[in-house]
Amino acid sequence: MVAAVTAVAAAGVLTATFVSGGGRGAASAETSLADFVPIEKVAVTLAPPRPGTAASAGVFTVDCGTNRIGKFSPDNPVAQPGVKNGAEHVHDFVGNLAIDADTPDAALAAAGTTCRNGDRSSYFWPVVRIDRTVRADAEVAAALRMVQPTVSCPRVADRLPALPASARIAVDRDLAALDRQLVTAANEMRASRGRIDQRLNASVLGRLRTERALVIRRISRTVNETGGRPGELVSLVDCEISYDGLHTGHPATGSGASPTVTCPTVRDKLAAVPTSALDEVNRNLDLLERQIAEANERLSRAQGNGDPTFTRNAIVEPLTHERAATLDRISIAVGRAGLRPTGLGTLAACTLDRRAAAGRQDSGNNPGIGDDGALPVPQGPNLELPNNTGRIVQPSQVLIEYRGNPATKVTAMPRFLRALTGDAKPTSRGPANARATWTCSGFTDRLSDKYPICPRSSRVMRVQDFPGCWNGRDTDSENHRTHLAFADPETGACPPAFVAIPQLRISISYDIPRHIQLKGQYALDSFPEENHNPFSDHNDFVNVNSDKQMRKIVSCVNAGRRCT
């Protein structure tokens, strides 16, 4: 590795400090040759376990394309549900056309897809960019010294059903408790100004997660007791430490990635609803969310039409009219049994590309909580975000495989299962969940936590394996991880009380010129504190396969066949 770096440096390439291999607690704005490695220098990865007599050795392949439709978004619906622009970097999306931070399961199930077999699942990962510019270390180092880390949490109020008066009082009391917990966590984070403190972050987030889980479970019980449907409130437990202050010098002009509609929230604006009106109001609240999802899908399909008049007349204004009618039905339903609400009609109008930092559990008046303004949105033809600049490289190939288990047969994964692999924040959270993913075609027996330099005629690749074991109950968990687990790497056995499911593997290939690799000029989009750290690679998945399709996948894998 030293010889390789010296040879490139002799050619006149400058190097600079960079966060790598889990991070060094410092931030800079550019890549470093220390974060690139010739793939031949990477050790061969541990060989997979030999299949046993009960193994499920088949592979089911899905073709969802390479995102030629151009569905890009800085949302992360798995790790940060309800938080617009929460990833602070851009993702490639394939599969489901409607998904964004807020899309409900029913809308996902009805959406269109880029997958050839009709699979409506969503698969998404950070984009790779080529950037030939070098930025000064001093600028970002100075920004870090001024940064006050913030604590961001999904808003529970935006996910609640309509509630009668007795439940409304109890739930409002619990929502206030969530606000107080967040203020306490924000105050604790003041101690880390100017540095990235993994221990403090883990302590603050761990305690906050425990406290929020207790309150959110209590809210769920209250909703259940009234006959309401609390949904998957467990997905709203986990919070994030954010270093938004590193977003410096970014112009607030241009157009956003994969335009989406932004509409006022309604669930959090409803007061107590008469018991006799609950069912009708909840049906219409669900309809409002489906209308938004359908509009976003139409926007995804209309990516090639950049005419703002078209999007306004064909998508935004019809959505506003639909919402006005639905909100009127809610008012009428409430008015039949009580006092008709006023002002709901003002929530009908929607806009395009104004993606503010909605979805934070924040009153807006507390420093260190969420954001005082909008999170940065992708800008211009390259969909750039602060420090995530340069031309996006479209994958040359995306291979999506559902694979078997070497020790046992697999069982069907549940519909709407959420899964992630890797960790987007190994610098600020620690590297425990981070995974080496980088390799080259022809060398997939070895994976690196650094960017690979590939031989001529070989492609840069990312190979991302998801957990293949499920707890048999939950589609999500409080930290979005513990409902799933990786099998034992030596035996393939799942942990006790877990069952094997088809293990998802996504392999992404790129045609990146070798001179770009040698100069260290390609990198991953990342959170600001990660600064393109190759070890921050990650991938996310929402299973929206139909039950019939999942049975087909399981049958193929258990029979040891190769299917598409």
Side-chain angles (χ1 to χ4, degrees):
M1 179 59 188
V2 173
V5 172
T6 303
V8 178
V13 180
L14 299 177
T15 62
T17 305
F18 185 69
V19 178
S20 176
R24 294 191 291 267
S28 66
E30 63 273 356
T31 56
S32 161
L33 290 177
D35 290 288
F36 288 78
V37 60
I39 194 63
E40 298 92 338
K41 302 290 186 180
V42 177
V44 173
T45 309
L46 179 69
R50 185 184 301 274
T53 56
S56 46
V59 179
F60 191 98
T61 302
V62 181
D63 182 1
C64 296
T66 59
N67 194 23
R68 290 190 180 279
I69 195 173
K71 184 172 175 61
F72 298 102
S73 174
D75 291 354
N76 189 321
V78 173
Q80 294 179 289
V83 181
K84 294 292 189 184
N85 300 334
E88 302 179 54
H89 55 265
V90 172
H91 289 119
D92 268 312
F93 278 76
V94 300
N96 200 285
L97 290 173
I99 192 165
D100 66 7
D102 299 302
T103 315
D105 289 348
L108 294 177
T113 179
T114 67
C115 303
R116 290 187 176 181
N117 68 342
D119 174 13
R120 292 183 172 87
S121 300
S122 182
Y123 310 87
F124 56 99
W125 53 84
V127 301
V128 167
R129 297 180 188 267
I130 291 175
D131 190 350
R132 294 178 172 85
T133 63
V134 175
R135 293 164 294 276
D137 280 352
E139 179 182 344
V140 179
L144 182 60
R145 287 194 294 271
M146 300 299 294
V147 165
Q148 171 63 58
T150 60
V151 185
S152 304
C153 303
R155 274 179 56 85
V156 176
D158 293 345
R159 298 294 184 96
L160 294 175
L163 297 169
S166 58
R168 184 77 262 174
I169 294 171
V171 168
D172 284 347
R173 184 168 58 243
D174 283 332
L175 292 175
L178 293 177
D179 285 338
R180 290 193 299 272
Q181 292 169 358
L182 194 48
V183 170
T184 299
N187 288 334
E188 292 173 336
M189 287 305 303
R190 295 182 190 280
S192 66
R193 179 183 290 275
R195 61 195 173 96
I196 298 173
D197 188 330
Q198 291 180 2
R199 290 185 179 181
L200 179 63
N201 292 353
S203 174
V204 171
L205 289 180
R207 182 164 58 255
L208 184 58
R209 183 186 302 125
T210 300
E211 294 171 348
R212 280 175 63 86
L214 290 172
V215 176
I216 289 174
R217 290 189 200 114
R218 192 162 62 230
I219 291 173
S220 294
R221 287 195 298 271
T222 301
V223 173
N224 274 321
E225 288 167 359
T226 66
R229 296 162 292 129
E232 290 291 339
L233 293 185
V234 67
S235 67
L236 307 180
V237 168
D238 208 26
C239 301
E240 292 281 0
I241 303 296
S242 182
Y243 295 84
D244 297 340
L246 291 175
H247 291 311
T248 58
H250 188 61
T253 59
S255 59
S258 293
T260 59
V261 292
T262 298
C263 306
T265 56
V266 176
R267 293 178 184 272
D268 60 328
K269 309 294 193 308
L270 281 179
V273 172
T275 302
S276 61
L278 287 175
D279 288 344
E280 186 173 355
V281 170
N282 280 322
R283 280 195 301 272
N284 282 288
L285 288 172
D286 292 344
L287 178 58
L288 288 171
E289 293 175 341
R290 290 199 302 275
Q291 290 166 349
I292 293 173
E294 289 164 0
N296 283 333
E297 180 178 347
R298 291 195 293 273
L299 283 168
S300 292
R301 294 184 181 279
Q303 284 292 303
N305 192 327
D307 181 2
T309 302
F310 169 80
T311 55
R312 183 180 66 249
N313 293 341
I315 298 175
V316 178
E317 288 187 358
L319 172 62
T320 297
H321 293 318
E322 290 176 345
R323 284 173 57 83
T326 305
L327 290 166
D328 191 49
R329 287 194 295 272
I330 291 175
S331 296
I332 292 171
V334 174
R336 290 195 193 104
L339 184 64
R340 180 167 177 164
T342 59
L344 282 185
T346 63
L347 305 178
C350 300
T351 57
L352 192 64
D353 280 344
R354 294 180 182 176
R355 309 194 69 193
R360 306 286 187 174
Q361 185 72 37
D362 177 21
S363 65
N365 300 315
N366 298 305
I369 301 177
D371 298 274
D372 292 331
L375 285 170
V377 300
Q379 304 292 331
N382 291 323
L383 312 176
E384 293 180 332
L385 287 159
N387 297 337
N388 289 316
T389 56
R391 175 177 63 83
I392 292 174
V393 184
Q394 184 175 33
S396 55
Q397 183 182 38
V398 175
L399 180 63
I400 299 174
E401 300 173 299
Y402 292 88
R403 304 166 67 87
N405 180 287
T408 185
K409 302 299 184 187
V410 300
T411 189
M413 62 174 66
R415 202 173 196 199
F416 307 120
L417 177 75
R418 267 72 172 168
L420 51 81
T421 185
D423 197 321
K425 293 189 170 188
T427 297
S428 58
R429 286 193 297 223
N433 292 310
R435 297 178 66 83
T437 64
W438 297 92
T439 188
C440 301
S441 58
F443 295 85
T444 53
D445 60 345
R446 61 199 74 187
L447 297 176
S448 175
D449 64 355
K450 298 181 183 294
Y451 296 116
I453 299 172
C454 301
R456 284 182 171 81
S457 76
S458 177
R459 288 173 169 172
V460 173
M461 290 186 66
R462 301 154 73 185
V463 179
Q464 298 159 320
D465 283 331
F466 284 74
C469 304
W470 172 50
N471 69 5
R473 301 185 310 274
D474 305 310
T475 58
D476 203 352
S477 50
E478 291 166 0
N479 65 354
H480 310 297
R481 293 183 186 274
T482 53
H483 60 301
L484 297 169
F486 284 95
D488 186 291
E490 296 185 0
T491 67
C494 286
F498 281 72
V499 297
I501 56 175
Q503 183 183 32
L504 180 61
R505 171 178 289 178
I506 301 180
S507 303
I508 312 166
S509 301
Y510 300 91
D511 290 319
I512 297 177
R514 195 162 189 272
H515 70 275
I516 296 293
Q517 300 175 39
L518 290 170
K519 292 179 180 178
Q521 292 178 335
Y522 78 90
L524 192 70
D525 260 21
S526 71
F527 280 95
E529 71 272 24
E530 294 300 330
N531 293 287
H532 318 293
N533 185 352
F535 206 34
S536 71
D537 197 10
H538 56 282
N539 205 315
D540 297 76
F541 164 64
V542 181
N543 174 40
V544 199
N545 279 287
S546 66
D547 293 340
K548 179 180 178 181
Q549 181 71 1
M550 183 53 61
R551 287 194 297 270
K552 184 178 178 182
I553 292 171
V554 168
S555 176
C556 169
V557 169
N558 283 340
R561 302 194 308 269
R562 287 190 167 271
C563 316
T564 58

